[in-house]
Amino acid sequence: MAHAATHDHHDDHHGAPKNFFVRWCMSTNHKDIGTLYLVFSLLMFFIGGSFAMVIRAELFKPGLQLVQPYFFNEMTTMHALVMIFGAVMPAFVGLGNWMIPLMVGAPDMALPRMNNLSFWILPFAFALLLSTLFLPGGGPAGGWTMYPPLSLQGSSTAYVVFAVHLMGISSIMGAINIIATILNMRAPGMDLLKMPVFVWSWLITAFLLIAVMPVLAGAVTMLLTDKYFGTNFFNAAGGGDPVLFQHIFWFFGHPEVYIMILPAFGLVSEIIPTFARKPIFGYKAMVFAIASIAFLSFIVWAHHMFAVGLPLGGEIFFMYATMLIAVPTGVKVFNWVSTMWGGSMTFETPMLFAIAFVILFTIGGFSGLMLALAPADFQYHDTYFVVAHFHYVLVTGAIFAIIAATYYWLPKWTGHMYSETWGKIHFWNSVIWVNVLFFPQHFLGLAGMPRRIPDYNVAFANFNMISSIGGFLFGASQLIFLGVLVHAVWFSKKKAADRVWEGAKGLEWTVPSPAPYHTFDVPPVIHDHELAHGHVED
Amino acid sequence: MGHQQDAYFVPAKSYWPIVAAVVMFVTVFGAAHWLNAPPGEAGFGKTMLTIGFVGILLMFFGWFRSVIRESLAGNYNSQVDRSFRMGMMWFIFSEVMFFGAFFGALFYARMFAVPWLGGEGHGVLTHQFLWNDYTAAWGTNTGPGHVGGDFQTVAPWGLPLLNTLILLSSSVTVTIAHHALKVGHRGKILLFLGLTVLLGATFLYFQAHEYMEAYRELNLTLHSGVYGSTFFMLTGFHGMHVTLGTIMLAIIWLRVARGHFSKDHHFGFEAVAWYWHFVDVVWLGLFMFVYIL
Ligand code: HEM
Ligand SMILES: [Cu+2]
């Protein structure tokens, strides 16, 4: 093996390149690419958030006030697509990029150039998707679930389908990279069962991604050919069935919702032990719970289709399979609480968000259980109750975990402490207004208000107004977040220690803050006592 | 930097990824624009699509060329090799799932959608109120709307059987070439790899023939109800994979001829061989479920 040649081609050791284009567009550095992902995700969070503001403004009062119904539908569709594929998923990939190599003692991701491609596809994919809003025929307005025949109307189908293809390619490559990194790049001594829970959660999530993103690609390809090339997959006259789309879509869709929550489980499992100053309770149980949730997520998809007219056997099977997921999920919640039990806890901003996660995600899980009851779901389906459910699991679940992780690792990334005071102000505003925003939606749904409509019966007026007020204030609270971030990155004078948090364990805290451009060029020597799970007995 | 085994390898910066993102975008934007163009007017979509597609080819050429150079320079240690292997394996797994979606559509249409339209079990009312003169059948004119008209199916024991034998023997030849590579027998590798490429090309030729026959004589087209949809989408996507696989095999043939591979360093060869086996297995599924049953 030619040593000199290796050195020639080795990425430069001397810090970040000066040239802007070279640094950010040609990167093979997991930290830079992680930053790109996170910044992109934040941008999408605000774009998707502004769509939500339009929705809540229109729903502030009954009657059509501000926007045309078609535009309203474009907003609900785009809000979901942007938040799911643009904000939540890239945020997790960004956190994974930044932290997995640091947590397992790798110099970088296993396939750094592919990593760069995975990222750079995304801005183009979203340019394509968002451009449809400005095209003559308008954007997609049939809901993020793209059910035919509705989604085949208008002229945006091809753009949306190709945008989804691009996002899928990006996710698959990102997932392959993460699996290869975790399985192949761990430093000697970092056994699988000593890995941080976050790394475990990503390993399993990456598997889910590779398994279901191609299925989504297949489903939208069928939409494309049905619309433009005369196939009959979803056309009953030709022997097809629109319900077929729903099956394929939700075969992707349900694992997808776990793709958006398993890494969040991992994040919370890092943060809570740090601030409870206790190792996570039941490490192995946590890992197995994630794995079994992932497995079960493949056999519950039709709980989204209870009201579509499934054969009775199907209803019953999918009802019980769905309720089964509550078992491993319960294990996780139990273990987070047990980790805190008797710990010497402090309540810095990351911990506050993590605790809020545990409580509010559980509320979302409970409403999920209600929806899982097939006979009850006939009533709840397509009402605001479903909207309340998935916003509890996604906003106070996934997004809160992402925010918690951002506060948790920001000092490691930037080398500066963020403002704890403003972090707490952000937290209390978020946690109060998010409940004002989404809790009343449970009542609206139970009372029968359908989702995805711009106008509603006056009977629903009060709760909608409350919800909208919560929405505006929750949206405004996120500007505080932006302020805290800007301050921490560019203005904060307070230097962060290497081990930023007193109780923090794991390899990422053994490198300086800010983490140097290159870490672990040579595999680190691992001491079990530095790891959060160095000694796994049970 | 210490001994090679103790150090990691991180590749140098490269502009190919961003080039790849741009050309992919140009391609799909062009395609979407073209699909939405009013009939008779291609607009700039077609031009964009062409530019993008050529760009993708050039990008692959450039990206792989730089990777091959690095590989020949001995940059890739065994850890990098393992990463590449994992990458390829998981990529093939994702392809399996992609085909899974279309197989799923086939099974669903055949086992549920069509019988239900014919009034079986679950579909009594739909049948009664909407299509009460429809008798469910698979492989004649699928669907109550008679979309695409009557057609006949491709007989499995003619060309499809031949194609099955061709693909199966190509899997054997590529394996023989692999064994020859492991003992460093270049003449034998070139012979058997060359045979594999030829078999792949023959398969494609026969498939093109089969498609033409289907369109001209059997009236089996992409519009022939859900039967035509599943038939052509499954065999079509498979054919695209065979095309890609054949091209990759041909490139590997050239690389063998230039002496790029050694007994214990030949990931490129193995990746393509795996891909070829995957394409083969998918075909067996197709032969079974699309043609025979
Ligand atoms: C305890 C676990 C859970 C159960 C039992 C459950 C159950 C359900 C059910 C039955 C529905 C369909 C409701 C309907 O449309 O009538 C649903 C919808 C939904 N769930 Fe969950 N869920 C659970 C956890 C989650 C998690 C963790 C997420 C995401 C992080 C999630 C995201 C969603 C989304 C996005 C929808 C709505 C999709 C749509 O129609 O647009 N759920 N859930
Ligand atoms: Cu679900």
Side-chain angles (χ1 to χ4, degrees), chain B residues 88 91 95 167 170 174 193 196-201 204 237-253 268-269 271-280:
Chain B
M88 191 66 194
F91 167 66
E95 291 266 54
L167 271 196
S170 77
V174 80
L193 201 55
T196 317
V197 175
L198 282 182
L199 288 168
L204 287 172
F237 269 121
H238 176 262
M240 275 157 64
H241 283 74
V242 177
T243 313
L244 194 67
T246 309
I247 295 172
M248 295 196 302
L249 282 168
I251 293 169
I252 295 294
W253 191 90
F269 185 101
V272 175
W274 292 343
Y275 191 80
W276 196 251
H277 290 310
F278 148 71
V279 167
D280 210 22

Side-chain angles (χ1 to χ4, degrees), chain A residues 117 121 166 169 173, chain B residues 19-29 52 56 59:
Chain A
L117 174 57
I121 287 175
L166 289 183
I169 294 171
M173 289 194 300
Chain B
V19 171
V22 172
V23 292
M24 283 161 81
F25 173 73
V26 172
T27 308
V28 293
F29 189 81
I56 288 185
M59 176 275 295

Side-chain angles (χ1 to χ4, degrees), chain A residues 483-498:
Chain A
V484 178
L485 291 178
V486 168
H487 169 259
V489 174
W490 283 294
F491 301 103
S492 170
K493 295 274 176 322
K494 209 171 149 214
K495 285 258 170 272
D498 292 355

Side-chain angles (χ1 to χ4, degrees), chain A residues 19 22 159 166 193 200 225 265 273 328 336 353 419 447 460 474 484:
Chain A
N19 182 310
V22 171
Y159 294 90
L166 289 183
L193 279 177
W200 261 112
T225 57
F265 287 174
W336 288 320
F353 273 103
S419 157
F460 305 129
F474 179 73
V484 178

Side-chain angles (χ1 to χ4, degrees), chain A residues 250 254 257 300-301 303-304:
Chain A
W250 288 114
H254 189 80
V257 307
V300 298
W301 75 86
H303 63 216
H304 296 271

Side-chain angles (χ1 to χ4, degrees), chain A residues 65-105:
Chain A
Q65 337 275 335
L66 298 170
V67 295
Q68 294 300 311
Y70 189 84
F71 186 72
F72 182 90
N73 292 342
E74 283 180 320
M75 288 292 104
T76 54
T77 307
M78 284 292 198
H79 165 70
L81 288 171
V82 167
M83 285 302 196
I84 292 170
F85 294 102
V88 174
M89 291 168 71
F92 285 137
V93 183
L95 291 168
N97 251 296
W98 246 103
M99 301 317 296
I100 290 173
L102 287 183
M103 288 174 137
V104 302

